[in-house]
Amino acid sequence: MSDLSDVIPQPRRTTSGAGGFFQLGPATEVVAGDGTERTARWLRAEVGAATGLPLAPGTGPGDAVTLSLDGALGPEGYRLDVEPTGVRLAGGDPAGLFWGAQTLRQLLGPDAFRRAPLPGRSWRLPAIRIEDAPRFGWRGLMLDVARHFMPKEGVLRYLDLMAAHKLNVLHFHLTDDQGWRIEIRRHPRLTEVGSWRSRTKFGHRASPLWEDKPHGGHYTQDDIREIVAYAAERHITVVPEIDVPGHSQAAIAAYPELGNTDVVDTGALSVWDTWGVSPNVLAPTDHTLRFYEGVFEEVLELFPSEFIHIGGDECPKEQWRRSATAQARIEELALADEDELQSWFIQHFDTWLAERGRRLIGWDEILEGGLAKGAAVSSWRGYAGGIAAARAGHDVVMCPEQQVYLDHRQHAGEDEPVPIGFVRTLEDVYRFEPVPAELTSHEAEHVIGTQANVWTEVMENQQRVDYQTFPRLAAFAEVSWSTLPAPGERDFDAFERRMAAHYRRLDALGVAYRPPGGPLPWQRRPGVLGRPIDGPPPNK
């Protein structure tokens, strides 16, 4: 049984009961009201496995966990009542009920996060009432599987980790210069060629070290369907990202006609084996548009999400400046320059997606040429792009690089593995504020949420991803869920005390997090060059 104050993210309101506890035992039933079957199934599968209890379907009312829906609790809200005679969990909707079940699991103690019961454990819930609801509707994690491929089982594991932290959007970065990770049936070379590179730069792009073996992999369409269904069972939306028109060398290596063939021998290109921003970008031709419309048609069949992410960032223009084809397109469309050409490219897919009932979302560069009304912006280059987007009436997901890029190093110590970017400690992430003070209350309504981004250039396996992501994702989860004071007034000491219990949950889940005292010997990467940036990050 956990202490009442151990729950992460912190609930909105917690009231201690009259004393005592409810003991789960072999006779404890789960009484599932209408619309609660998904959470009942999850409780039996996960909590049942950890406790060894059947949690059989029942009719109650005694010795039971009773599940119900109560629309008055609001979207994703829940109320948990624990009394010595039984447990009542109500959700404002099925998602809220599920988040309440996550809280119930935390209250059972860290061993409730194991896959099989340990001997001699008893399962008590403290008498308590918790009333809770999230601050933001978009509480996301961006997982980059393009730079280093994460096999399907690893993605499913991360969905479970997200659910345990009440995060509800997986931004799935599926394509980039270094790899194409999703099967597209009408264009099979995207994975036959584009999902493999011959070698990999080890460390930052300035590192002299190489791993001289092929790296790659991709998800079949059935893999994607499984991932999306698994996420939906956990009330997580998967938002795919297919990058255009930059970050596209893997696609061009597979189909050279997609590139700027009049200025570079695209047939000689391979999937990029280093990091950074490739100069090889898509050609602004009708063929390219039709090709990617075909890609997106298959993507829409696989992902039911409202939003489709099209990247739109970091598109070098040098090849377009030298390309007669690109210059003819600029003249034909009466555009001012290559920047407007990129905007035309993005706007084409903005309109195309809107005609199919979807909404485009892209990195904040897409603002530069104007957007359709329904398009949204991922603000990564600090807060400025998000502020401009909100003031222009566009929805915004705040994910500023300087604050919540979890590939950035966690400490200034020399033992940090492949140190990248600014120091972003657990406390720094805990004091991140997604809504800029410059926005009026009306403009702030366009900040639909926030997400932490995990770019995997220097994360060669799941353990490295764990190390960079945790424990900071727990702090981020609280920022995105809980209604906290202003950053400087947040009680980080109290959060650290709650983390003492949370580390034990992460241990039970097998998460290779960064320990508070620094990296373990096997977590270090001595001699591998990074790119640390000194000083505090800009907060703008």
Side-chain angles (χ1 to χ4, degrees), residues 402-480:
Q402 303 88 343
Q403 312 298 326
V404 287
Y405 270 32
L406 300 186
D407 47 306
H408 282 213
R409 56 192 174 136
Q410 303 185 64
H411 193 275
E414 294 183 359
D415 286 337
E416 290 303 308
V418 200
I420 298 295
F422 294 102
V423 173
R424 292 285 85 194
T425 65
L426 183 67
E427 181 173 359
D428 291 330
V429 174
Y430 191 66
R431 297 193 189 280
F432 164 60
E433 173 49 50
V435 179
E438 296 95 318
L439 295 180
T440 66
S441 58
H442 175 69
E443 292 166 345
E445 292 175 1
H446 283 293
V447 180
I448 59 174
T450 182
Q451 71 182 29
N453 294 344
V454 180
W455 300 101
T456 61
E457 287 95 333
V458 299
M459 301 180 212
E460 72 278 9
N461 55 37
Q462 178 178 285
Q463 288 74 25
R464 279 287 288 121
V465 175
D466 279 4
Y467 180 92
Q468 293 299 133
T469 305
F470 290 96
R472 292 182 294 181
L473 193 68
F476 174 80
E478 183 145 311
V479 168
S480 65

Side-chain angles (χ1 to χ4, degrees), residues 485-532:
E489 299 169 9
R490 294 176 189 172
D491 191 344
F492 178 71
D493 290 342
F495 177 77
E496 269 197 316
R497 288 192 291 272
R498 284 184 287 130
M499 280 300 299
H502 201 67
Y503 285 121
R504 293 173 57 207
R505 296 179 193 126
L506 297 177
D507 287 334
L509 288 165
V511 176
Y513 59 84
R514 182 191 189 275
L520 300 171
W522 63 267
Q523 293 174 319
R524 301 167 188 161
R525 297 292 186 274
V528 180
L529 185 67
R531 183 184 61 92

Side-chain angles (χ1 to χ4, degrees), residues 290-354:
R290 299 294 88 76
F291 183 98
Y292 272 87
E293 285 170 2
V295 169
F296 281 115
E297 282 176 5
E298 294 192 29
V299 167
L300 297 191
E301 291 174 2
L302 295 168
F303 295 93
S305 55
E306 176 186 9
F307 288 99
I308 303 294
H309 207 293
I310 53 79
D313 63 318
E314 296 179 325
C315 178
K317 309 297 192 303
E318 182 56 32
Q319 289 184 1
W320 287 353
R321 294 186 187 99
R322 294 163 49 207
S323 165
T325 301
Q327 293 302 313
R329 179 68 86 176
I330 289 173
E331 184 176 354
E332 171 199 342
L333 298 170
L335 303 176
D337 54 21
E338 291 78 17
D339 290 335
E340 286 197 5
L341 183 61
Q342 179 176 349
S343 297
W344 165 82
F345 200 106
I346 298 298
Q347 287 168 358
H348 174 86
F349 287 102
D350 191 359
T351 301
W352 189 91
L353 288 167

Side-chain angles (χ1 to χ4, degrees), residues 163-215:
H165 292 83
K166 300 185 175 75
L167 298 173
N168 69 346
V169 178
L170 173 64
H171 174 170
F172 207 18
H173 185 79
L174 289 163
T175 72
D176 217 297
D177 297 309
Q178 297 85 2
W180 183 286
R181 305 296 178 213
I182 178 172
E183 177 190 18
I184 302 297
R185 289 178 175 164
R186 73 188 74 184
H187 302 308
R189 287 175 58 83
L190 286 171
T191 48
E192 291 170 0
V193 174
S195 70
W196 294 92
R197 58 179 180 262
S198 61
R199 63 177 186 167
T200 299
K201 177 59 65 82
F202 195 48
H204 182 254
R205 61 180 176 269
S207 168
L209 304 177
W210 293 89
E211 186 177 39
D212 285 307
K213 68 178 183 181
H215 175 86

Side-chain angles (χ1 to χ4, degrees), residues 217-236:
H218 73 274
Y219 310 105
T220 68
Q221 293 203 355
D222 281 344
D223 290 338
I224 294 291
R225 290 185 182 97
E226 180 183 358
I227 288 167
V228 169
Y230 195 86
E233 278 286 305
R234 287 148 185 79
H235 298 277
I236 296 170

